[in-house]
């Protein structure tokens, strides 16, 4: 059960959600206002666009979707499991995510749409790294499912079913981290434009180092 998870899970999940919030805010505030940390809005735009958009705009939306999937595919290939397990190569995956974000920053500074594809791939990679925490389905780059889970938990509580407090706390931290990340991303974009992506990239590097230290201590 989720109560058996190590104590750093909450801090790590909060940090990952914050990183995604920053990336998505920068994408939304950038030159083409493109969400990159989730695909719901982009999929809707693609569906609507099929009726009147030009082929270049449709291709752009499709490439954002495919980039997210490719990032997730890399995670599935490289890590091999969506369940949190000790010893998997999360540190290296986080470094790859950091690299993608730096490349996204450089592309966006050059007014290249490739920046959106790179940022979307980074979010897909992150979202797929760890999606299952001891049976709890957790996403770190969007919050619709988390709000749904909280609603289900609330409904169950009204029926007299005890609430798993640690799971509820984890969900609230993910939501709070994503919202806070959006605020930080907006503030950072106002100050530094696309250089604000260096913040989540740097955080990914720090998380990678901390994870590797934790792994070495358990060897």
């Amino acid at each position: 059960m989720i109560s058996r998870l190590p104590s750093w899970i909450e801090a790590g999940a909060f940090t990952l959600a914050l990183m995604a919030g920053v990336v998505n805010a920068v994408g939304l505030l950038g030159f083409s206002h493109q969400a990159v940390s989730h695909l719901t809005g982009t999929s809707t735009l693609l569906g609507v666009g099929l009726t009147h958009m030009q082929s270049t705009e449709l291709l752009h939306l499709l490439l954002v979707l495919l980039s997210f999937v490719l990032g997730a595919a890399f995670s599935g290939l490289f890590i091999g499991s969506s369940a949190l397990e000790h010893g998997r190569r999360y540190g290296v995956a986080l470094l790859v995510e950091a690299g993608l974000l730096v490349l996204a920053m450089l592309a966006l500074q050059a007014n290249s749409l490739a920046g959106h594809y790179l940022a979307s791939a980074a979010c897909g990679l992150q979202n797929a790294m760890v999606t299952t925490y001891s049976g709890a389905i957790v996403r770190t780059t969007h919050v619709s499912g988390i709000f749904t889970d909280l609603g289900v938990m609330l409904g169950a509580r009204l029926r007299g079913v005890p609430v798993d407090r640690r799971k509820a706390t984890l969900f609230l931290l993910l939501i709070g981290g994503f919202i806070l990340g959006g605020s930080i991303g907006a503030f950072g974009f106002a100050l530094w434009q696309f250089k604000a992506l260096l913040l989540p990239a740097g955080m990914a590097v720090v998380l990678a180092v901390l994870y590797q230290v934790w792994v070495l201590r358990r060897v």
Side-chain angles (χ1 to χ4, degrees):
M1 299 300 293
I2 198 168
S3 60
R4 299 176 184 173
L5 294 173
S7 58
W8 51 263
I9 287 299
E10 284 85 355
F14 175 84
T15 305
L16 288 171
L18 188 148
M19 289 162 50
V22 172
V23 174
N24 202 48
V26 172
L28 286 172
L29 294 171
F31 65 86
S32 66
H33 310 290
Q34 178 65 61
V36 292
S37 74
H38 55 86
L39 303 183
T40 305
T42 305
S43 298
T44 301
L45 287 173
L46 180 62
V48 172
L50 288 172
T51 63
H52 65 273
M53 278 188 181
Q54 296 181 355
S55 58
T56 53
E57 295 172 313
L58 292 174
L59 179 61
H60 169 63
L61 294 172
L62 181 61
L63 287 174
V64 171
L65 298 177
L66 290 177
S67 297
F68 192 98
V69 173
L70 288 174
F74 174 83
S75 176
L77 175 66
F78 189 72
I79 296 177
S81 174
S82 62
L84 178 64
E85 295 180 23
H86 167 67
R88 293 198 177 274
R89 295 178 285 186
Y90 300 120
V92 178
L94 284 165
L95 291 178
V96 173
E97 179 182 355
L100 289 171
L101 291 174
V102 171
L103 291 174
M105 177 200 72
L106 295 173
L108 290 168
Q109 286 179 322
N111 291 333
S112 171
L113 292 175
H116 291 137
Y117 313 143
L118 291 163
S120 183
C123 289
L125 188 160
Q126 176 184 306
N127 203 47
M129 272 198 304
V130 181
T131 61
T132 306
Y133 293 153
S134 292
I137 303 301
V138 175
R139 302 287 192 246
T140 60
T141 66
H142 54 87
V143 294
S144 298
I146 299 171
F147 275 113
T148 301
D149 290 338
L150 281 175
V152 171
M153 292 174 70
L154 176 60
R157 182 66 185 88
L158 293 174
R159 290 191 293 106
V161 179
V163 171
D164 186 330
R165 293 188 178 183
R166 189 172 185 192
K167 185 183 292 186
T169 298
L170 177 62
F171 290 159
L172 290 172
L173 284 170
L174 286 165
I175 292 169
F178 193 84
I179 293 173
L180 179 60
S183 297
I184 293 173
F187 182 74
F189 186 80
L191 290 176
W192 309 304
Q193 297 296 296
F194 294 114
K195 288 182 180 178
L197 288 176
L198 290 176
L199 175 60
M203 295 172 71
V205 172
V206 171
L207 284 180
V209 172
L210 291 176
Y211 177 74
Q212 289 305 124
V213 170
W214 179 74
V215 169
L216 290 174
R217 286 182 176 179
R218 289 176 60 94
V219 173

